[in-house]
Amino acid sequence: MAAAAGEDSIERKLYTLLQEARPSESALRAAAEAADAVSELIKKVPAQQATPAAARGFVRDLGLASEKLEFTFRPPEVVQVAGSLAAGTVARPDVAADLLVRLPKECFHEKDFLNHRYHAKRCLYLCVIEKNLRSSKKIHKISWSTFQDESRKPVLHVYPATEIAELPGFYVRIIPTAASLFTVSKLNLSTRNNVRAYTKDGINVPTPKYNSSILEDMFLEENAEFICSTFADWKALQEASILLKVWARQRTSIYAHDGLNGHLISAILTFLAIDSGGSIINRSMTTRQIFRVFMNFLANSKGWARGLVIQPMKKRTVTKEDIANFLKIFDVAICDVSGHVNLAFRMTKSAFSELQDEASCTLHCLDKCRDGGFEEVFMTKVDVCAKFDSCLRINLKGNSKVTSLGFCVDDESWRILEKDVQSLLQQGLTDRTKMIRVLWRSTPSEWNIMDGLSEFGSSPLLVGVMISSLEKSFRLVDIGPNPENRDEAAKFRKFWGEKAELRRFKDGNIAESIVWESEPWEKHTIIKRIADYVLMKHLSLENEDLTHVVDQLDFCLLVNGKDPVSSSGALLEAFDTLAKQLRLLDDIPLKISTVQPLDSAFRHTSLEGSGNWPLDPVAMEKTKSAFLLKIGESLEDRGMYVSPSEDEVNVLASGYSFLIKIFHERCLLLEKRAGDGSTQIAPSEDKVLFMRSQHSSMVNGLHGRYQMYGPVVRLAKRWISAHMFSSFISEEAVELVVAYLFLKPFPFQVPSSRVVGFLRFLRLLSSFDWTFSPMVIDINNDFNLKDEKEINENFMLSRKSYEQNPHDIERAMFLATSYDKASEAWTKHSPSKPVLKRMATYAKSSAELLTNLILNGQSGQYTWECLFRTPMSNYDAVVLLHQEKLCHPHHVLFPAETPNGKLVIWGKPSKDFHPYMPLSKGAVKSLHDARDKLLCTFPNTFKLWYGSVGGDAVGLTWENPKKRGREDADETMLEPTSILKEVGDVGKGLVRGVYLLKAPKLR
């Protein structure tokens, strides 16, 4: 029954997705009518002279003399709608109608396939069409773009004057075709050189990329017609194509000029549907089945090694030798219906490898993730920033390597540079990386054909690097060839230059090697240093031309230029010393057998079991207090500085402060009895200590499995603190949310860098469906159906109040673990739903900024530091603190700026303030008690927002006066300054100033 319900849920979600992605019939009719209207306008363009002056820059950059290019324009022989609109596979939001315009043979000479003359005349033909369409009132706008990002093949984007409400941004794309324009044999991929400037050692060599560019246009119509006929009246195939487009568009690095596109998706589906593909897809299959078959074929089929042929077996003209020739020339082969064109001639080996990797990951999501992986497969953005462990931007504008190549020969200069960068990085980084992806979107967003190709490649080249393992990535030495292997050693020294050195290793081996000296906290930058060195050496780049996003966030983790974690050895020694002293105590009634660190640095202590503990909860608490006082006395006798209280003992040891608490398992037994009806209820502190113990063990185990977990948690906590959410979400809750990223990374790999882990944390926090979904952290992957049922029941119980009051839900952030299936430990009362909503909004904004910083770098006021700056204007009042009076003043990233508000009170730093001072009659028992009493001084007056790490400001927001009596509410409305003055008095010596930004209002 549960499985059937799950299937129904998946089908409903897919149906809804298809409804959203597929335009309505009326919208499609409007799009077809718009395309037909443009078609009619094109057919009416009169004969006229097409002159090179119309595209002077384009002609110049192709290296052509203009006098050989003039021709008499003739109306096109055929204009027809093709692509997704014709095949019934339109997928929003990017909707365009492809209009194929057949170039008349009379406009070309027999040998115009040589030296880019075809490409130049193709462009001039479009120039005439553009000029005439601009005069029509039916046209709103016309812009230039390129076909598959190939600069020598421009296309026109025509935006109709009448907008289609359901299809915002709709345009008609005019694509020239060249059916029967040239003799196919003149464009042979293996033997023909058609760009005379393309030589090797002074000898003309074949130009397969250039020849393919023309052949593609010659058979564009035939391929479009064959694909359309395959898709005709096949709803499931059409829907599968739409789902595949949604899937691919979410994965920006595979939906690219050298990867997948809508046309290739349709071509592969066509291959799988016809008999040449073994009819792997048939009409009895559902949309979901076709989608899975496609993924499985991408990821696992051996057919890719043999090459695909989109020709029915009965009409097969392509031989094994033909397809073998394709595979010899290109990385991937998809032979078209004519047998002459490799539809995948632009696809690179790295792009195909990534495509297969994504398909494999998708299959895993379909099988292992909740609801058939719907969220992971279709709804999650798998962009370069969040996918790759590090991103590198390379500015090659005006670089000598680019200019010396010429814009276009056999291939374009941008594609050649992509390959060079790929090769250099693979050679330099070796087995440190699992995947390197180089992408250069060369076409400018706004292109004037008169400017030619000068603005192409203005945007930086982008590289995504996926680390193979941290052990390999952090390696300090790369061992090269033995010097006796002279040829290999010479190549090694040539590649590495002055970095190469001959070294003798401990095993006696002598080899060429590269050493990357690094402090322990800087090992994550080794990949950056290698990449920068290699590219600067071989591509004549300057340091400012390279931006490698690896360590840009380190500033918020370092103290005095070092990572405090690197000095954890001293902390461990101090803890071991204290633990040893505690275990040696022999003047207390019961011996201490175990001392367990629990806090994020080290938490608390756990003691041995004993039958001598009292059964009465009150007596038990008194016994624990007596133990603590006795422990304090004993440690003090041993020369330690001790500050005891009834609940805890503060101990200074080896320069560190340790907080000791007592926990005993019998407390939990008492709580269970209370569940059976007994009035003996265990103190909540004991349960928290137990859960902290369990949590600490869990986190330590997680850090052992994922070395990058710790740095990502620290960045997340820094962000929480910087935006003053520390008062609402515990450290443990943050650790669990980050743990979820590592335990359930799909549709990504487990993060292997701090930047990508932090970005995913921000996106998860902002996008997770907290209201209707529990976040289940299953660290050992051992939850069974009974556990899942218990968690779901607990979650549904926590959501019972939703219908009555959807704005106030207990456990707004429901975190279920093996030790806490009801989310009672860390988020039972906080954050509230409004606070969580605010937190999610901040996280979304930070994620967008971080994404922009990775892709485009710092610009004006938008810097890396902005991620950890919070706007003070979002609070009703702000309290500024004296930095030098904080516990850790060196942790302050940016001193808080003076807010734009009314100064109510100010003060000088002094010794008047102490966290343990009595706020009322009676001594303060502990630090937590002191904090609680401080908050209780102003009950129901305001919410307190602060940062626990390096925060020198506190934000206040007025509580809703409706929660209090009307009289109190009116008084608060009239006298906010008196309350804020009292706040300043309480914090005398610590408070620098209190500012009123917004007075409270009765709601």
Side-chain angles (χ1 to χ4, degrees), residues 392-413:
L392 167 63
R393 295 195 317 277
I394 308 175
N395 176 27
L396 289 165
K397 180 69 175 175
N399 184 271
S400 59
K401 286 278 186 179
V402 180
T403 54
S404 64
L405 290 169
F407 289 115
C408 302
V409 192
D410 176 41
D411 208 349
E412 303 165 275
S413 59

Side-chain angles (χ1 to χ4, degrees), residues 129-169:
I129 292 176
E130 181 216 18
K131 176 185 174 183
N132 283 266
L133 289 183
R134 284 194 184 278
S135 61
S136 173
K137 293 181 180 180
K138 295 181 179 180
I139 306 302
H140 168 63
K141 183 179 77 169
I142 302 176
S143 62
W144 288 90
S145 188
T146 55
F147 187 72
Q148 304 299 348
D149 204 28
E150 184 177 340
S151 61
R152 55 192 166 196
K153 293 178 73 169
V155 295
L156 289 176
H157 289 183
V158 179
Y159 296 82
T162 303
E163 293 186 4
I164 304 173
E166 196 180 317
L167 304 176

Side-chain angles (χ1 to χ4, degrees), residues 91-109:
R92 291 186 289 190
D94 304 320
V95 179
D98 288 343
L99 208 57
L100 303 185
V101 176
R102 187 185 299 175
L103 301 170
K105 203 163 188 175
E106 298 89 338
C107 298
F108 293 83
H109 296 298

Side-chain angles (χ1 to χ4, degrees), residues 529-661:
R529 291 163 58 195
I530 294 173
D532 289 359
Y533 175 83
V534 167
L535 295 174
M536 289 170 66
K537 173 177 170 55
H538 293 279
L539 292 181
S540 305
L541 294 170
E542 300 295 330
N543 191 54
E544 55 267 25
D545 294 324
L546 299 169
T547 305
H548 205 150
V549 180
V550 171
D551 55 354
Q552 279 77 356
L553 298 180
D554 288 3
F555 71 91
C556 64
L557 300 181
L558 301 179
V559 177
N560 298 324
K562 293 185 178 181
D563 192 331
V565 171
S566 65
S567 61
S568 59
L571 177 61
L572 282 170
E573 289 179 12
F575 172 75
D576 288 341
T577 300
L578 176 61
K580 184 178 180 181
Q581 292 289 337
L582 287 169
R583 285 193 292 269
L584 288 175
L585 293 179
D586 54 8
D587 54 352
I588 57 176
L590 294 173
K591 184 176 176 59
I592 297 173
S593 63
T594 304
V595 183
Q596 183 181 4
L598 297 182
D599 204 84
S600 53
F602 283 130
R603 287 185 161 89
H604 298 104
T605 59
S606 171
L607 306 175
E608 70 169 343
S610 169
N612 296 328
W613 283 87
L615 296 177
D616 178 70
V618 176
M620 183 177 287
E621 285 301 294
K622 289 183 177 180
T623 303
K624 286 165 64 176
S625 297
F627 263 114
L628 283 168
L629 293 172
K630 183 61 180 174
I631 288 172
E633 290 175 9
S634 299
L635 291 175
E636 198 166 27
D637 291 343
R638 284 163 171 76
M640 292 187 177
Y641 180 82
V642 177
S643 176
S645 71
E646 294 180 12
D647 293 339
E648 58 201 23
V649 175
N650 233 316
V651 182
L652 289 179
S654 306
Y656 293 92
S657 176
F658 295 93
L659 198 67
I660 300 175
K661 284 180 176 283

Side-chain angles (χ1 to χ4, degrees), residues 97 160 166 172 256 261 298 421 464 475 525 645 752 834 854 962 966:
E166 196 180 317
V172 178
N261 55 57
L298 271 184
V421 170
R475 188 175 61 226
T525 67
S645 71
S752 292
I854 293 171
K962 282 204 307 182
R966 178 76 185 213

